[in-house]
Amino acid sequence: MQTHRVAHKLALAAGQACSSVGSLNEYQHTLKQIYHFFPNSAVQTEKLGSLESILNDENICWLSFREATSFRWPALDGAVRAIYCVYQVLYMALVHHAPSKVPAVRPMDFLARALLLLIKTKHAMKYNLENNENIVSLFEKNVKKQPNKTALILVDGREWTFREVDEYSNAFAHYLDSQGFQRGDVVAIYMENRPEFACYWLGMAKVGVVGALINFNLRADSLAHCISLSEAKGLVFSANFSSVLKDIRHQLPAGIKFYCHGDYDAAIFDAIHLDPILSHSSTLDVHRSHVIKFSDTLFYIYTSGTTGMPKAAIIKHSRFFFMTYTVHTFFNMTSDDIVYDTLPLYHSAGGILGIGQSFMMGCTVVIRKKFSASKFWNDCITYNCTVMQYIGEICRYLLVQPPKPTDRQHRVWCAFGNGLRAQIWPQFTQRFSIKWVGEFYGATEGNANILNPDNKVGAVGFLTQIAPFLYPVTLIRVNEDTGELIRDKNGLCVRCKPGEPGELVGKIIKGDLLREFDGYVNKEATKKKVARNVFSKGDHAFLTGDILVTDELGYLFFKDRTGDTFRWRGENVSAAEVEATISNILKLNDAAVYGVEVPGAEGKAGMAAIVDEHGTLDLKKLYNDLQQSLPSYARPVFLRIGQEVDVTGTFKLRKTDYKKDGFDPSKIKKDRLYYLDTKLGEYREIKMEIFSDIQNGKIRI
């Protein structure tokens, strides 16, 4: 603690030295002092040497000093100014000694902006916490400010002003209150994309009821699992899902109440019809007998289920605000922007980052019931959209569409989301004239959120190499075979060096809204995502389960899911890299790559599920292209060719069932199966006889 206080005093002194005209010696000396108190900031490269040696270079420090003293400092505290100036010194050293590694945006602009955002976000979070603000109160401020502005638009449907959203959610809140729902009770929502979806959970929040946002693609056991897991006392559903619910009603809790939205038909499913009730319910503001805290639970969002049954992640008011506010601010959006949101509203991308731009930031958000690649740009033109959202494979789906004039006739300047592959990034921005790509990374429930601050192609985020303590998120080494964390002699995790892949983790700090991990409804599931003794003895960190790699400047690039890397022929194979290669070869067709076990063989052989909708796939050409593009161990040994691949509602490839099926023809009826015959240099079809020969070793793989 004493060292921390001394370091803080030095940082404050450095802030004064860095922000006022003083002597070069004072500037240089103070920065050296800061360096010694922040040993984690040491930067070693072959080109530059250590940071300490750079600080001894008067020429470098003079250039940095001149920049610092001419800069009009914003309201930053001393510590941030000091750290900023150390970064400036490094930048000048790069200019002199390694110009090829100089980032496109100078630190004077980029880092100051990044640090300002971090401080601004922390202050906003602290203010909201101390003043008992919440999503409801923040939304109501927008209602008072611009009641007649359009808040939500349903494509081919009606427009909703902020006042209308407020009144509809009030009507539902009053009804819930009249039915005896209490603070902390859960009501599930099972609806397709539409403005009422967001109005319902907003109405719940007004009386302290927690929403459970159910994936409308779920059926049978998965649907029953999600509803039951939430312990919901009520379920709001769209009328068109009546028959689906009828099939699973016997699997749901006996006391649950059903509320139907839309064209209700009692003959199909017995429920309470909401529409006539809400039309007569009060639309006045709801009187709350209790305070809704910024740290209260707002709703549950379910994981996409790529690795099994979905888990219910806890989303608090604070997290909803943080996610929305950060994206809006860092990607330079304003309340005048019109956001095109085609993503599922039951998921964080569409339901928080999309809807939040309206409810929290005052934008207009255009909702489409279901994503359509062919109508995407037409919608953007029709509704004057200026910002679009993407996730997973959406950008690739848009590129597959035949070129047409509408590709560049829209007003969209910013596309933000996650999952835009580096291989198609330049093609996407050039074809559709997108000036800014706001790529980010972050699990719905996690605290290791990062974003790409300056349009760096392929980067999912950035972490400062100078002051990692400001935002304790980092990459740590893992065993490539088992995925287990690698620890040093003291039992602590080992940080990755630039270029070294590792798992992204975020330090958990209780009481810090930016660093807490709220976890899942299932406490056992929460425990599995937390590691102990990561940075220091006794600490905790959230495990993302994703492998990333950072460059020397601090940009991060996605590499793979921990479970998606498999070992074959003594080498590690990245499923994501092979998928990207196959997708490019096949002109952006869907491809899912995974490892399958082969009797008698060590490791797992690569298998690719490929979409061939029209039966035009040339296997010989594919074989030749793979020979040119991938090393022998990474080339798929097995192929599964079908008319579609299984994806989640958020356009992520679902591989669990594919792995279970393997290459067994008795389990796979619709798709064609092939194996790689290396002697003949071609893919040959697998029938039961061939499958048996592979199983008993007659055919060597």
Side-chain angles (χ1 to χ4, degrees):
M1 290 298 294
Q2 183 64 29
T3 301
H4 176 76
R5 284 195 292 270
V6 174
H8 183 65
K9 288 181 179 179
L10 279 172
L12 291 174
Q16 296 172 358
C18 297
S19 60
S20 60
V21 178
S23 69
L24 173 62
N25 287 338
E26 179 187 8
Y27 176 79
Q28 192 172 5
H29 176 68
T30 310
L31 292 179
K32 288 180 183 179
Q33 288 180 306
I34 297 167
Y35 164 69
H36 286 297
F37 274 95
F38 296 137
N40 285 337
S41 65
V43 176
Q44 297 277 358
T45 72
E46 292 180 6
K47 295 276 187 180
L48 301 181
S50 70
L51 177 57
E52 187 173 20
S53 67
I54 295 169
L55 292 172
N56 286 320
D57 188 327
E58 288 195 6
N59 185 38
I60 296 295
C61 283
W62 165 247
L63 291 171
S64 170
F65 173 69
R66 189 175 64 184
E67 291 281 345
T69 53
S70 64
F71 182 64
R72 296 180 62 184
W73 285 93
L76 296 172
D77 64 26
V80 172
R81 290 179 181 179
I83 294 160
Y84 171 76
C85 285
V86 174
Y87 195 98
Q88 181 65 19
V89 171
L90 271 184
Y91 177 80
M92 292 300 177
L94 277 173
V95 170
H96 273 246
H97 301 301
S100 64
K101 295 182 179 180
V102 175
V105 177
R106 297 177 58 196
M108 188 60 75
D109 305 312
F110 158 59
L111 188 64
R113 182 165 165 263
L115 294 177
L116 270 173
L117 173 66
L118 183 58
I119 292 172
K120 190 176 179 182
T121 303
K122 286 190 172 184
H123 277 270
M125 297 285 281
K126 183 180 179 182
Y127 175 87
N128 289 337
L129 180 65
E130 292 177 348
N131 290 275
N132 288 322
E133 296 284 10
N134 52 69
I135 298 309
V136 174
S137 64
L138 294 171
F139 168 75
E140 288 173 347
K141 288 181 179 180
N142 273 321
V143 176
K144 292 177 181 178
K145 180 181 178 181
Q146 47 191 22
N148 298 317
K149 180 179 179 179
T150 302
L152 303 174
I153 300 175
L154 179 63
V155 172
D156 298 327
R158 66 170 281 199
E159 298 184 3
W160 295 62
T161 65
F162 278 87
R163 178 188 285 118
E164 288 171 329
V165 170
D166 188 44
E167 291 176 346
Y168 192 88
S169 59
N170 282 343
F172 187 53
H174 280 293
Y175 177 67
L176 287 175
D177 190 48
S178 71
Q179 295 298 297
F181 283 93
Q182 302 293 316
R183 179 184 183 184
D185 287 343
V186 178
V187 174
I189 308 176
Y190 183 53
M191 301 176 67
E192 72 279 17
N193 274 17
R194 57 188 311 119
E196 291 91 338
F197 184 104
C199 293
Y200 282 134
W201 66 248
L202 181 61
M204 295 177 197
K206 291 188 176 191
V207 290
V209 171
V210 176
L213 313 188
I214 308 294
N215 181 343
F216 60 73
N217 295 297
L218 296 180
R219 300 292 186 270
D221 292 344
S222 296
L223 175 58
H225 163 80
C226 288
I227 297 172
S228 300
L229 179 65
S230 70
E231 297 184 350
K233 293 184 177 180
L235 172 66
V236 178
F237 67 95
S238 292
N240 51 305
F241 294 134
S242 296
S243 58
V244 176
L245 291 172
K246 181 181 179 181
D247 293 339
I248 65 161
R249 188 163 192 167
H250 66 284
Q251 296 178 255
L252 301 179
I256 190 169
K257 296 180 180 179
F258 298 91
Y259 303 96
C260 180
H261 170 93
D263 298 327
Y264 173 61
D265 186 347
I268 300 177
F269 190 75
D270 185 25
I272 299 169
H273 192 198
L274 274 179
D275 297 26
I277 293 173
L278 297 188
S279 66
H280 294 94
S281 183
S282 172
T283 59
L284 298 177
D285 287 342
V286 180
H287 172 70
R288 288 182 282 274
S289 58
H290 60 272
V291 175
I292 301 173
K293 297 180 180 179
F294 197 48
S295 56
D296 282 351
T297 299
L298 177 63
F299 50 57
Y300 303 146
I301 281 185
Y302 292 80
T303 59
S304 55
T306 53
T307 57
M309 281 292 193
K311 299 186 290 289
I314 298 170
I315 305 298
K316 295 185 176 181
H317 288 253
S318 55
R319 182 157 184 79
F320 185 101
F321 174 81
F322 167 70
M323 293 173 69
T324 300
Y325 182 86
T326 305
V327 165
H328 183 93
T329 306
F330 215 102
F331 295 149
N332 290 319
M333 295 164 61
T334 72
S335 60
D336 293 327
D337 277 310
I338 300 174
V339 181
Y340 186 46
D341 183 1
T342 68
L343 306 179
L345 299 186
Y346 59 75
H347 194 261
S348 57
I352 297 179
L353 298 179
I355 294 299
Q357 300 310 318
S358 172
F359 287 7
M360 295 296 95
M361 313 311 300
C363 297
T364 297
V365 173
V366 179
I367 300 168
R368 173 174 265 282
K369 286 187 177 181
K370 190 176 182 181
F371 167 75
S372 170
S374 62
K375 297 177 181 178
F376 193 93
W377 299 114
N378 289 337
D379 285 347
C380 289
I381 293 169
T382 299
Y383 297 101
N384 292 312
C385 297
T386 57
V387 175
M388 60 160 281
Q389 284 187 264
Y390 66 85
I391 195 170
E393 304 295 310
I394 277 182
C395 294
R396 185 169 59 80
Y397 294 155
L398 293 175
L399 282 170
V400 170
Q401 293 295 303
K404 49 188 176 183
T406 52
D407 288 352
R408 300 174 69 88
Q409 290 175 349
H410 53 81
R411 296 174 56 225
V412 175
W413 64 272
C414 172
F416 76 90
N418 63 295
L420 178 54
R421 295 182 180 182
Q423 293 87 345
I424 64 171
W425 187 309
Q427 184 183 352
F428 177 77
T429 56
Q430 291 165 16
R431 174 174 165 180
F432 300 117
S433 189
I434 304 296
K435 296 180 177 62
W436 189 273
V437 172
E439 175 77 11
F440 62 83
Y441 168 91
T444 297
E445 69 280 18
N447 69 349
N449 305 297
I450 53 176
L451 45 76
N452 182 338
D454 58 350
N455 238 352
K456 173 79 171 180
V457 173
V460 300
F462 176 86
L463 291 175
T464 172
Q465 302 295 293
I466 304 302
F469 56 88
L470 275 182
Y471 193 63
V473 174
T474 192
L475 299 180
I476 57 175
R477 292 182 185 174
V478 295
N479 185 300
E480 293 181 344
D481 295 326
T482 65
E484 294 180 356
L485 305 180
I486 294 175
R487 298 182 180 272
D488 61 18
K489 61 181 181 181
N490 298 314
L492 301 178
C493 293
V494 182
R495 296 175 189 266
C496 293
K497 297 177 181 178
E500 183 180 18
E503 182 171 357
L504 187 70
V505 300
K507 186 175 182 179
I508 298 171
I509 303 175
K510 289 292 184 181
D512 184 339
L513 293 177
L514 293 182
R515 304 293 341 129
E516 284 188 322
F517 170 51
D518 301 319
Y520 310 100
V521 172
N522 185 311
K523 300 305 179 186
E524 288 303 313
T526 300
K527 291 179 182 178
K528 292 179 181 178
K529 296 293 288 185
V530 177
R532 294 194 62 185
N533 303 323
V534 177
F535 301 96
S536 59
K537 288 289 185 180
D539 71 359
H540 297 79
F542 168 72
L543 300 169
T544 64
D546 288 327
I547 303 298
L548 283 75
V549 64
T550 183
D551 65 13
E552 291 179 349
L553 296 175
Y555 291 101
L556 289 121
F557 302 85
F558 183 82
K559 186 171 177 63
D560 228 331
R561 289 287 299 171
T562 49
D564 266 3
T565 298
F566 54 92
R567 197 165 179 83
W568 182 245
R569 302 296 189 219
E571 300 284 352
N572 292 313
V573 181
S574 166
E577 291 178 11
V578 179
E579 285 168 358
T581 300
I582 294 175
S583 181
N584 284 343
I585 290 173
L586 300 180
K587 307 301 180 185
L588 307 178
N589 276 14
D590 277 324
V593 174
Y594 45 97
V596 294
E597 294 183 356
V598 179
E602 184 179 347
K604 293 184 177 181
M607 185 165 185
I610 298 174
V611 170
D612 183 26
E613 189 174 357
H614 304 293
T616 57
L617 179 62
D618 186 335
L619 289 177
K620 185 63 177 177
K621 182 178 184 304
L622 174 62
Y623 171 80
N624 291 332
D625 288 341
L626 290 173
Q627 291 283 106
Q628 299 295 321
S629 306
L630 292 172
S632 58
Y633 63 84
R635 296 168 200 152
V637 176
F638 300 101
L639 300 179
R640 176 174 178 167
I641 313 297
Q643 292 192 331
E644 61 183 9
V645 294
D646 193 13
V647 296
T648 69
T650 50
F651 305 99
K652 296 176 183 176
L653 300 170
R654 197 195 310 270
K655 304 179 184 180
T656 305
D657 292 338
Y658 287 147
K659 292 177 181 178
K660 292 178 181 177
D661 291 343
F663 53 96
D664 185 348
S666 66
K667 296 180 180 179
I668 304 167
K669 303 299 182 182
K670 294 191 300 181
D671 301 338
R672 306 187 306 278
L673 297 173
Y674 298 87
Y675 78 98
L676 178 58
D677 188 324
T678 53
K679 292 182 179 179
L680 295 178
E682 64 181 24
Y683 284 103
R684 301 186 65 189
E685 190 167 4
I686 299 176
K687 299 293 186 181
M688 281 307 302
E689 183 179 351
I690 296 292
F691 174 73
S692 298
D693 287 346
I694 295 174
Q695 291 292 97
N696 60 34
K698 289 184 178 179
I699 294 179
R700 304 277 299 181
I701 297 298

